[in-house]
């Protein structure tokens, strides 16, 4: 039987993502450093972003704006005061049937918006602010994290032909749309 050799897809996988303001992102960046030092080699394999949906094409500026408004509405629920808070660790797999990406990070308390289909081909059931690919070292708990300022953007990611299969990716994030100010 021939050995299976990993071949990265040539076309990028496209997502619409939520990206926290750099103040909150710095907390997650520090967490990624601690994970990497502890041996979690996938800690730098995904940007600090929460996937909202996998998409067949990039969202238009109007579609991104609609996602930003929906997220702001979710963060404005009673008692939340416009905050999106991170809790314990959660794992997301995409696609769920045969995962190409197994992402881990902080579970966010905002409801995922319901993006238009198409171009959305998969809506993530929950929001996870990613700290990397594959599960982290269990002895490093996630830091408390919350933010009000955030943006929504298109993102394309693809595995690199060189590097470690399953851990080596490149990504590009498009022009972001900020969540509107809370009224």
């Amino acid at each position: 039987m021939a050995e299976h050799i990993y071949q990265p897809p040539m076309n990028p996988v496209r997502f619409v993502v939520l990206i926290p303001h750099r103040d909150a992102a710095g907390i997650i960046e520090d967490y990624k450093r601690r994970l990497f030092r502890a041996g979690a080699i996938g800690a730098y394999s995904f940007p600090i972003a929460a996937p909202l949906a996998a998409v067949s094409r990039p969202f238009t500026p109007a579609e991104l704006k609609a996602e930003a408004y929906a997220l702001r509405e979710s963060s404005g629920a009673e008692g939340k005061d416009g905050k999106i808070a991170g809790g314990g660790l959660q794992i997301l797999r995409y696609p769920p049937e045969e995962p190409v990406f197994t992402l881990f990070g902080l579970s966010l308390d905002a409801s995922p918006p319901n993006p238009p289909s198409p171009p959305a081909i998969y809506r993530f059931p929950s929001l996870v602010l990613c700290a990397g690919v594959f599960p982290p070292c269990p002895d490093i708990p996630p830091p408390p994290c919350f933010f009000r300022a955030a943006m929504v953007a298109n993102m394309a990611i693809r595995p690199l032909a060189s590097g470690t299969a399953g851990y080596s990716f490149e990504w590009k994030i498009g022009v972001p749309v900020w969540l509107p100010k809370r009224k």
Side-chain angles (χ1 to χ4, degrees):
M1 187 158 143
E3 181 180 330
H4 174 72
I5 299 174
Y6 175 77
Q7 294 293 322
M10 297 311 286
N11 295 325
V13 176
R14 297 185 184 283
F15 295 111
V16 172
V17 295
L18 172 69
I19 303 167
H21 184 272
R22 69 177 173 256
D23 294 344
I27 293 168
I28 304 305
E29 189 63 39
D30 181 58
Y31 180 56
K32 287 176 144 215
R33 277 192 292 274
R34 290 187 293 133
L35 287 168
F36 191 76
R37 282 192 300 248
I41 62 174
Y44 288 105
S45 297
F46 200 87
I48 298 170
L52 304 173
V55 295
S56 58
R57 61 155 174 82
F59 271 25
T60 65
E63 290 167 332
L64 289 172
K65 189 174 183 179
E67 293 296 292
Y69 274 92
L71 283 163
R72 178 53 71 211
E73 287 294 317
S74 173
S75 73
E78 188 173 329
K80 291 182 62 173
D81 192 34
K83 291 181 187 174
I84 298 174
L89 284 180
Q90 187 176 348
I91 294 174
L92 286 179
R93 290 177 174 84
Y94 178 77
E97 323 72 60
E98 283 187 51
V100 173
F101 298 100
T102 301
L103 308 168
F104 72 88
L106 280 75
S107 176
L108 298 178
D109 67 352
S111 299
N114 195 7
S117 178
I121 54 177
Y122 179 77
R123 176 183 178 247
F124 285 92
S126 57
L127 297 183
V128 174
L129 184 56
C130 292
V133 175
F134 292 104
C137 302
D139 58 339
I140 302 178
C145 176
F146 73 88
F147 52 93
R148 284 186 179 91
M151 54 194 139
V152 177
N154 290 301
M155 184 182 96
I157 184 170
R158 73 175 186 87
L160 294 172
S162 61
T164 305
Y167 294 102
S168 300
F169 299 93
E170 67 179 352
W171 59 81
K172 182 175 180 160
I173 295 176
V175 176
V177 172
W178 286 95
L179 273 64
K181 291 185 187 267
R182 187 167 184 276
K183 294 178 183 177

